PDB file of all heavy atoms in Angstrom:
ATOM      1  N   LEU A  18       3.317 -15.846  26.768  1.00 85.00           N
ATOM      2  CA  LEU A  18       4.450 -15.489  25.914  1.00 85.00           C
ATOM      3  C   LEU A  18       4.231 -14.139  25.252  1.00 85.00           C
ATOM      4  O   LEU A  18       5.140 -13.293  25.195  1.00 85.00           O
ATOM      5  CB  LEU A  18       4.660 -16.563  24.840  1.00 85.00           C
ATOM      6  CG  LEU A  18       5.629 -16.180  23.702  1.00 85.00           C
ATOM      7  CD1 LEU A  18       7.042 -15.975  24.254  1.00 85.00           C
ATOM      8  CD2 LEU A  18       5.630 -17.262  22.620  1.00 85.00           C
ATOM      9  N   TYR A  19       3.031 -13.929  24.779  1.00 91.00           N
ATOM     10  CA  TYR A  19       2.755 -12.717  24.008  1.00 91.00           C
ATOM     11  C   TYR A  19       2.573 -11.499  24.910  1.00 91.00           C
ATOM     12  O   TYR A  19       2.917 -10.381  24.528  1.00 91.00           O
ATOM     13  CB  TYR A  19       1.535 -12.959  23.121  1.00 91.00           C
ATOM     14  CG  TYR A  19       1.713 -14.212  22.288  1.00 91.00           C
ATOM     15  CD1 TYR A  19       1.076 -15.402  22.635  1.00 91.00           C
ATOM     16  CD2 TYR A  19       2.582 -14.220  21.204  1.00 91.00           C
ATOM     17  CE1 TYR A  19       1.276 -16.563  21.900  1.00 91.00           C
ATOM     18  CE2 TYR A  19       2.781 -15.374  20.462  1.00 91.00           C
ATOM     19  CZ  TYR A  19       2.132 -16.545  20.814  1.00 91.00           C
ATOM     20  OH  TYR A  19       2.352 -17.689  20.092  1.00 91.00           O
ATOM     21  N   ILE A  20       2.044 -11.714  26.104  1.00 93.00           N
ATOM     22  CA  ILE A  20       1.953 -10.627  27.080  1.00 93.00           C
ATOM     23  C   ILE A  20       3.345 -10.066  27.357  1.00 93.00           C
ATOM     24  O   ILE A  20       3.553  -8.854  27.440  1.00 93.00           O
ATOM     25  CB  ILE A  20       1.311 -11.115  28.394  1.00 93.00           C
ATOM     26  CG1 ILE A  20      -0.202 -11.172  28.270  1.00 93.00           C
ATOM     27  CG2 ILE A  20       1.697 -10.203  29.548  1.00 93.00           C
ATOM     28  CD1 ILE A  20      -0.901  -9.852  28.499  1.00 93.00           C
ATOM     29  N   SER A  21       4.327 -10.942  27.495  1.00 93.00           N
ATOM     30  CA  SER A  21       5.688 -10.480  27.800  1.00 93.00           C
ATOM     31  C   SER A  21       6.239  -9.639  26.658  1.00 93.00           C
ATOM     32  O   SER A  21       6.949  -8.653  26.896  1.00 93.00           O
ATOM     33  CB  SER A  21       6.607 -11.675  28.087  1.00 93.00           C
ATOM     34  OG  SER A  21       6.794 -12.485  26.924  1.00 93.00           O
ATOM     35  N   ARG A  22       5.921  -9.983  25.433  1.00 94.00           N
ATOM     36  CA  ARG A  22       6.356  -9.177  24.289  1.00 94.00           C
ATOM     37  C   ARG A  22       5.674  -7.812  24.313  1.00 94.00           C
ATOM     38  O   ARG A  22       6.305  -6.781  24.041  1.00 94.00           O
ATOM     39  CB  ARG A  22       6.033  -9.886  22.979  1.00 94.00           C
ATOM     40  CG  ARG A  22       6.841 -11.136  22.700  1.00 94.00           C
ATOM     41  CD  ARG A  22       6.372 -11.756  21.390  1.00 94.00           C
ATOM     42  NE  ARG A  22       7.037 -12.996  21.076  1.00 94.00           N
ATOM     43  CZ  ARG A  22       6.681 -13.796  20.077  1.00 94.00           C
ATOM     44  NH1 ARG A  22       5.668 -13.446  19.292  1.00 94.00           N
ATOM     45  NH2 ARG A  22       7.333 -14.918  19.835  1.00 94.00           N
ATOM     46  N   ALA A  23       4.384  -7.808  24.630  1.00 95.00           N
ATOM     47  CA  ALA A  23       3.646  -6.545  24.675  1.00 95.00           C
ATOM     48  C   ALA A  23       4.216  -5.621  25.743  1.00 95.00           C
ATOM     49  O   ALA A  23       4.367  -4.414  25.525  1.00 95.00           O
ATOM     50  CB  ALA A  23       2.165  -6.814  24.945  1.00 95.00           C
ATOM     51  N   VAL A  24       4.551  -6.191  26.906  1.00 95.00           N
ATOM     52  CA  VAL A  24       5.138  -5.400  27.984  1.00 95.00           C
ATOM     53  C   VAL A  24       6.462  -4.787  27.524  1.00 95.00           C
ATOM     54  O   VAL A  24       6.736  -3.602  27.754  1.00 95.00           O
ATOM     55  CB  VAL A  24       5.356  -6.261  29.242  1.00 95.00           C
ATOM     56  CG1 VAL A  24       6.203  -5.515  30.270  1.00 95.00           C
ATOM     57  CG2 VAL A  24       4.016  -6.658  29.842  1.00 95.00           C
ATOM     58  N   LYS A  25       7.272  -5.595  26.845  1.00 95.00           N
ATOM     59  CA  LYS A  25       8.565  -5.110  26.358  1.00 95.00           C
ATOM     60  C   LYS A  25       8.384  -3.950  25.388  1.00 95.00           C
ATOM     61  O   LYS A  25       9.053  -2.914  25.496  1.00 95.00           O
ATOM     62  CB  LYS A  25       9.338  -6.246  25.689  1.00 95.00           C
ATOM     63  CG  LYS A  25      10.705  -5.843  25.188  1.00 95.00           C
ATOM     64  CD  LYS A  25      11.451  -7.038  24.616  1.00 95.00           C
ATOM     65  CE  LYS A  25      12.853  -6.646  24.175  1.00 95.00           C
ATOM     66  NZ  LYS A  25      13.618  -7.780  23.645  1.00 95.00           N
ATOM     67  N   SER A  26       7.469  -4.093  24.433  1.00 96.00           N
ATOM     68  CA  SER A  26       7.230  -3.029  23.463  1.00 96.00           C
ATOM     69  C   SER A  26       6.692  -1.774  24.141  1.00 96.00           C
ATOM     70  O   SER A  26       7.117  -0.654  23.836  1.00 96.00           O
ATOM     71  CB  SER A  26       6.249  -3.504  22.382  1.00 96.00           C
ATOM     72  OG  SER A  26       6.824  -4.518  21.587  1.00 96.00           O
ATOM     73  N   ALA A  27       5.757  -1.964  25.049  1.00 97.00           N
ATOM     74  CA  ALA A  27       5.155  -0.813  25.736  1.00 97.00           C
ATOM     75  C   ALA A  27       6.192  -0.035  26.537  1.00 97.00           C
ATOM     76  O   ALA A  27       6.128   1.194  26.624  1.00 97.00           O
ATOM     77  CB  ALA A  27       4.022  -1.275  26.648  1.00 97.00           C
ATOM     78  N   ASP A  28       7.147  -0.754  27.134  1.00 96.00           N
ATOM     79  CA  ASP A  28       8.139  -0.116  28.002  1.00 96.00           C
ATOM     80  C   ASP A  28       9.353   0.417  27.246  1.00 96.00           C
ATOM     81  O   ASP A  28      10.201   1.090  27.837  1.00 96.00           O
ATOM     82  CB  ASP A  28       8.605  -1.096  29.074  1.00 96.00           C
ATOM     83  CG  ASP A  28       7.560  -1.335  30.143  1.00 96.00           C
ATOM     84  OD1 ASP A  28       6.646  -0.504  30.264  1.00 96.00           O
ATOM     85  OD2 ASP A  28       7.646  -2.362  30.849  1.00 96.00           O
ATOM     86  N   THR A  29       9.448   0.110  25.956  1.00 96.00           N
ATOM     87  CA  THR A  29      10.615   0.558  25.190  1.00 96.00           C
ATOM     88  C   THR A  29      10.179   1.521  24.089  1.00 96.00           C
ATOM     89  O   THR A  29       9.911   2.691  24.345  1.00 96.00           O
ATOM     90  CB  THR A  29      11.397  -0.643  24.625  1.00 96.00           C
ATOM     91  OG1 THR A  29      10.496  -1.503  23.879  1.00 96.00           O
ATOM     92  CG2 THR A  29      12.033  -1.436  25.755  1.00 96.00           C
ATOM     93  N   TRP A  30      10.058   1.034  22.873  1.00 97.00           N
ATOM     94  CA  TRP A  30       9.845   1.951  21.748  1.00 97.00           C
ATOM     95  C   TRP A  30       8.515   2.679  21.802  1.00 97.00           C
ATOM     96  O   TRP A  30       8.398   3.805  21.295  1.00 97.00           O
ATOM     97  CB  TRP A  30      10.013   1.220  20.415  1.00 97.00           C
ATOM     98  CG  TRP A  30       8.996   0.164  20.105  1.00 97.00           C
ATOM     99  CD1 TRP A  30       9.112  -1.178  20.315  1.00 97.00           C
ATOM    100  CD2 TRP A  30       7.716   0.360  19.481  1.00 97.00           C
ATOM    101  NE1 TRP A  30       7.987  -1.840  19.896  1.00 97.00           N
ATOM    102  CE2 TRP A  30       7.119  -0.914  19.366  1.00 97.00           C
ATOM    103  CE3 TRP A  30       7.031   1.474  19.020  1.00 97.00           C
ATOM    104  CZ2 TRP A  30       5.858  -1.097  18.811  1.00 97.00           C
ATOM    105  CZ3 TRP A  30       5.776   1.298  18.455  1.00 97.00           C
ATOM    106  CH2 TRP A  30       5.200   0.026  18.360  1.00 97.00           C
ATOM    107  N   ALA A  31       7.477   2.077  22.417  1.00 97.00           N
ATOM    108  CA  ALA A  31       6.178   2.750  22.488  1.00 97.00           C
ATOM    109  C   ALA A  31       6.246   4.038  23.313  1.00 97.00           C
ATOM    110  O   ALA A  31       5.409   4.937  23.142  1.00 97.00           O
ATOM    111  CB  ALA A  31       5.115   1.819  23.069  1.00 97.00           C
ATOM    112  N   ARG A  32       7.265   4.149  24.177  1.00 95.00           N
ATOM    113  CA  ARG A  32       7.434   5.375  24.965  1.00 95.00           C
ATOM    114  C   ARG A  32       7.925   6.533  24.087  1.00 95.00           C
ATOM    115  O   ARG A  32       7.855   7.691  24.504  1.00 95.00           O
ATOM    116  CB  ARG A  32       8.429   5.149  26.106  1.00 95.00           C
ATOM    117  CG  ARG A  32       8.036   4.086  27.119  1.00 95.00           C
ATOM    118  CD  ARG A  32       6.716   4.384  27.817  1.00 95.00           C
ATOM    119  NE  ARG A  32       6.719   5.599  28.602  1.00 95.00           N
ATOM    120  CZ  ARG A  32       6.936   5.647  29.908  1.00 95.00           C
ATOM    121  NH1 ARG A  32       7.171   4.533  30.586  1.00 95.00           N
ATOM    122  NH2 ARG A  32       6.891   6.786  30.553  1.00 95.00           N
ATOM    123  N   ASP A  33       8.436   6.208  22.898  1.00 93.00           N
ATOM    124  CA  ASP A  33       8.948   7.237  21.991  1.00 93.00           C
ATOM    125  C   ASP A  33       7.878   7.769  21.043  1.00 93.00           C
ATOM    126  O   ASP A  33       8.166   8.594  20.185  1.00 93.00           O
ATOM    127  CB  ASP A  33      10.107   6.677  21.155  1.00 93.00           C
ATOM    128  CG  ASP A  33      11.294   6.278  22.025  1.00 93.00           C
ATOM    129  OD1 ASP A  33      11.502   6.913  23.079  1.00 93.00           O
ATOM    130  OD2 ASP A  33      12.005   5.329  21.643  1.00 93.00           O
ATOM    131  N   THR A  34       6.657   7.299  21.184  1.00 94.00           N
ATOM    132  CA  THR A  34       5.563   7.743  20.327  1.00 94.00           C
ATOM    133  C   THR A  34       4.686   8.743  21.078  1.00 94.00           C
ATOM    134  O   THR A  34       4.808   8.910  22.293  1.00 94.00           O
ATOM    135  CB  THR A  34       4.698   6.555  19.880  1.00 94.00           C
ATOM    136  OG1 THR A  34       4.039   5.996  21.037  1.00 94.00           O
ATOM    137  CG2 THR A  34       5.527   5.471  19.213  1.00 94.00           C
ATOM    138  N   ASP A  35       3.780   9.376  20.358  1.00 91.00           N
ATOM    139  CA  ASP A  35       2.805  10.240  21.022  1.00 91.00           C
ATOM    140  C   ASP A  35       1.886   9.383  21.882  1.00 91.00           C
ATOM    141  O   ASP A  35       1.513   8.269  21.493  1.00 91.00           O
ATOM    142  CB  ASP A  35       1.981  11.003  19.986  1.00 91.00           C
ATOM    143  CG  ASP A  35       2.831  11.957  19.166  1.00 91.00           C
ATOM    144  OD1 ASP A  35       3.831  12.467  19.705  1.00 91.00           O
ATOM    145  OD2 ASP A  35       2.501  12.184  17.984  1.00 91.00           O
ATOM    146  N   SER A  36       1.505   9.879  23.034  1.00 90.00           N
ATOM    147  CA  SER A  36       0.650   9.116  23.941  1.00 90.00           C
ATOM    148  C   SER A  36      -0.643   8.691  23.243  1.00 90.00           C
ATOM    149  O   SER A  36      -1.289   9.493  22.575  1.00 90.00           O
ATOM    150  CB  SER A  36       0.314   9.947  25.178  1.00 90.00           C
ATOM    151  OG  SER A  36      -0.452   9.190  26.093  1.00 90.00           O
ATOM    152  N   GLY A  37      -0.978   7.406  23.387  1.00 91.00           N
ATOM    153  CA  GLY A  37      -2.201   6.888  22.795  1.00 91.00           C
ATOM    154  C   GLY A  37      -2.085   6.480  21.349  1.00 91.00           C
ATOM    155  O   GLY A  37      -3.076   6.069  20.737  1.00 91.00           O
ATOM    156  N   SER A  38      -0.876   6.556  20.789  1.00 96.00           N
ATOM    157  CA  SER A  38      -0.728   6.227  19.370  1.00 96.00           C
ATOM    158  C   SER A  38      -0.218   4.813  19.120  1.00 96.00           C
ATOM    159  O   SER A  38       0.158   4.467  17.997  1.00 96.00           O
ATOM    160  CB  SER A  38       0.204   7.236  18.684  1.00 96.00           C
ATOM    161  OG  SER A  38       1.513   7.156  19.208  1.00 96.00           O
ATOM    162  N   VAL A  39      -0.218   3.989  20.166  1.00 98.00           N
ATOM    163  CA  VAL A  39       0.090   2.565  20.025  1.00 98.00           C
ATOM    164  C   VAL A  39      -1.074   1.777  20.608  1.00 98.00           C
ATOM    165  O   VAL A  39      -1.385   1.915  21.798  1.00 98.00           O
ATOM    166  CB  VAL A  39       1.401   2.173  20.736  1.00 98.00           C
ATOM    167  CG1 VAL A  39       1.658   0.668  20.569  1.00 98.00           C
ATOM    168  CG2 VAL A  39       2.573   2.966  20.191  1.00 98.00           C
TER     169      VAL A  39
END
Side-chain angles (χ1 to χ4, degrees):
L18 168 64
Y19 307 102
I20 280 277
S21 66
R22 291 178 183 172
V24 169
K25 182 176 183 179
S26 293
D28 287 341
T29 53
W30 66 264
R32 299 300 298 264
D33 297 329
T34 66
D35 296 329
S36 183
S38 64
V39 179

